[in-house]
Amino acid sequence: YVENFNKSLQAMKQGQGRAFNAMSAEEIKAYNNALFKYVTMGEKSLDMEELKTINTANDAQGGYLVVPEVAPTLINKKFDNYGLLEICGKRPTAGNYEVIVDFADYDKSYFTKEMIEDASLGDGEEYARISFKNDIVKYGKKFSRTALEDTFTNVETDVLAKMRAGMTRTIGQLLTTGQGGALPRGILTYNAGIHFGQIERIESTQSGKVIFADVISKMPASLKDAYHAGAKYVMRRQTFFSLLAEADQSGKLQISDMVNLFSAQGLSFNILGYEVKFDAGMPLVASDALPIAFGDFANGYLLTTTPTQGIVRDDVTNPDFIKIWQRERHDGKVVDFEAIKLLQIKA
């Protein structure tokens, strides 16, 4: 506040060709107190010292300098979470990266005779290669140069932190709806099925809605035992709380009979011990939509990152604005297709 008061005072004095002497915090405090007394009680209420104090910051027309006090914290816009980003597998890579996946069904494999030397693998022993390219993701914002110069806070530092958070949300949304290529591919874009390259879709019990039976029975029952230790639900916040509002024919909330099935542990929500992650990239409940994912996402989905995050500042294109670009390199794909299940709403 002292700094901004003196900047305003200097601008006023120099504009009038008058000498400028910076005021200390105590002098500014005395000035503001005397000015408040002058405004509320009139000039006759001031003693000579107070008159002298307020006249150190008046203009040629007798007006007085008033600099607004600015709150030390910004009121920031709030955003929804992209929970899948928090729980998926992650790996830093130096450029291109490949994962070898063995999707053979060994329970059904057998040999009718001893394998000969250099024989190729058979009987369902299959390996697949999944490649990650880590293409560039850019996230940019444009700012008024005047606003940056006149603001009372360090906007650029604050903006860079918010751009980082914005970039994270951009990547988070790609994990559900991204179309692939060299950028992360979303779990909702894979074809339905139970084979490699497909994600099984569990049809809802009723048309156009989700009920408790789908979430606490059908989805967990579809997942193999080995994945349950790390399994979690991913859905929109609205979907979760619509489940809590489900009522029977008499209007009684179903949750009243299932209070032990739901628990809130700190900031997390759990269904039957499986943590629920809220993700704004998941669809709302509607016919044919895929509003809920369930599975072991740490093993089922891999996000790769090449650590080349950088900030590019462009203040040449337009002299009145500054553009700040943030760039990162990412790719992401499902690597274990049996680890993830999607609930599809019956039409």
Side-chain angles (χ1 to χ4, degrees):
Y1 179 77
V2 172
E3 179 183 355
N4 288 301
F5 186 98
N6 280 307
K7 283 183 179 179
S8 300
L9 179 62
Q10 182 180 24
M12 183 180 78
K13 296 284 189 180
Q14 289 180 346
Q16 300 164 354
R18 300 164 65 188
F20 162 70
N21 295 308
M23 296 175 64
S24 67
E26 288 302 316
E27 289 173 329
I28 294 173
K29 183 177 180 180
Y31 167 81
N32 283 332
N33 290 338
L35 183 60
F36 177 79
K37 188 174 180 181
Y38 167 73
V39 171
T40 56
M41 302 174 62
E43 184 175 346
K44 292 182 179 181
S45 66
L46 304 179
D47 58 30
M48 294 302 296
E49 187 65 29
E50 290 170 327
L51 279 171
K52 179 182 177 182
T53 298
I54 62 172
N55 283 330
T56 59
N58 71 323
D59 61 23
Q61 287 74 40
Y64 295 97
L65 178 64
V66 178
V67 176
E69 185 174 357
V70 179
T73 57
L74 291 173
I75 298 176
N76 295 318
K77 183 177 180 180
K78 308 302 181 187
F79 299 89
D80 286 327
N81 293 329
Y82 289 89
L84 180 54
L85 182 61
E86 300 175 25
I87 59 177
C88 71
K90 302 178 183 69
R91 181 181 178 89
T93 64
N96 294 349
Y97 180 70
E98 290 188 343
V99 174
I100 307 300
V101 180
D102 176 8
F103 57 99
D105 191 344
Y106 285 92
D107 290 343
K108 298 179 181 178
S109 295
Y110 63 92
F111 294 102
T112 57
K113 60 182 180 179
E114 184 177 341
M115 289 184 64
I116 61 174
E117 186 177 355
D118 296 328
S120 60
L121 293 173
D123 290 319
E125 294 169 292
E126 303 169 72
Y127 290 82
R129 177 178 296 171
I130 300 177
S131 299
F132 295 79
K133 301 298 184 182
N134 288 6
D135 202 359
I136 295 173
V137 180
K138 293 178 68 177
Y139 183 93
K141 297 290 287 184
K142 183 171 70 173
F143 304 95
S144 163
R145 185 184 295 274
T146 301
L148 291 176
E149 292 170 346
D150 292 350
T151 186
F152 293 149
T153 60
N154 188 343
V155 169
E156 291 199 51
T157 299
D158 182 66
V159 161
L160 292 179
K162 290 176 180 175
M163 287 181 66
R164 169 72 60 189
M167 172 68 88
T168 299
R169 289 190 295 272
T170 299
I171 299 301
Q173 186 159 19
L174 289 174
L175 301 195
T176 53
T177 59
Q179 295 301 309
L183 295 176
R185 181 174 177 180
I187 61 172
L188 305 179
T189 67
Y190 288 89
N191 291 332
I194 59 173
H195 302 293
F196 184 82
Q198 301 172 336
I199 296 180
E200 184 179 9
R201 297 181 182 182
I202 312 302
E203 188 177 62
S204 66
T205 304
Q206 298 183 17
S207 298
K209 65 179 297 187
V210 178
I211 63 173
F212 279 126
D214 299 327
V215 179
I216 67 175
S217 178
K218 294 188 74 172
M219 296 197 76
S222 68
L223 193 67
K224 288 184 176 179
D225 293 343
Y227 297 114
H228 278 258
K232 294 177 173 60
Y233 289 98
V234 176
M235 66 185 80
R236 277 183 179 256
R237 182 181 299 271
Q238 297 95 316
T239 303
F240 177 79
F241 285 100
S242 68
L243 279 172
L244 301 190
E246 183 182 333
D248 60 23
Q249 292 181 348
S250 65
K252 180 181 178 182
L253 293 179
Q254 298 283 356
I255 186 62
S256 63
D257 295 325
M258 303 185 183
V259 289
N260 293 325
L261 301 184
F262 289 80
S263 63
Q265 300 176 355
L267 295 178
S268 66
F269 291 93
N270 297 269
I271 301 176
L272 287 175
Y274 301 109
E275 186 178 2
V276 179
K277 283 294 185 181
F278 297 138
D279 193 303
M282 295 296 289
L284 292 170
V285 176
S287 294
D288 289 326
L290 303 168
I292 301 177
F294 177 72
D296 183 352
F297 299 96
N299 289 309
Y301 192 97
L302 180 61
L303 176 69
T304 58
T305 302
T306 300
T308 57
Q309 294 90 344
I311 299 294
V312 178
R313 180 185 173 113
D314 174 14
D315 37 16
V316 177
T317 306
N318 188 323
D320 295 327
F321 293 92
I322 295 173
K323 288 183 179 179
I324 302 178
W325 291 96
Q326 181 176 329
R327 59 189 298 275
E328 296 180 353
R329 294 176 62 191
H330 294 281
D331 198 0
K333 293 180 175 69
V334 173
V335 293
D336 189 342
F337 293 90
E338 291 187 329
I340 300 173
K341 306 295 179 182
L342 296 172
L343 181 70
Q344 183 163 27
I345 305 301
K346 184 187 295 186

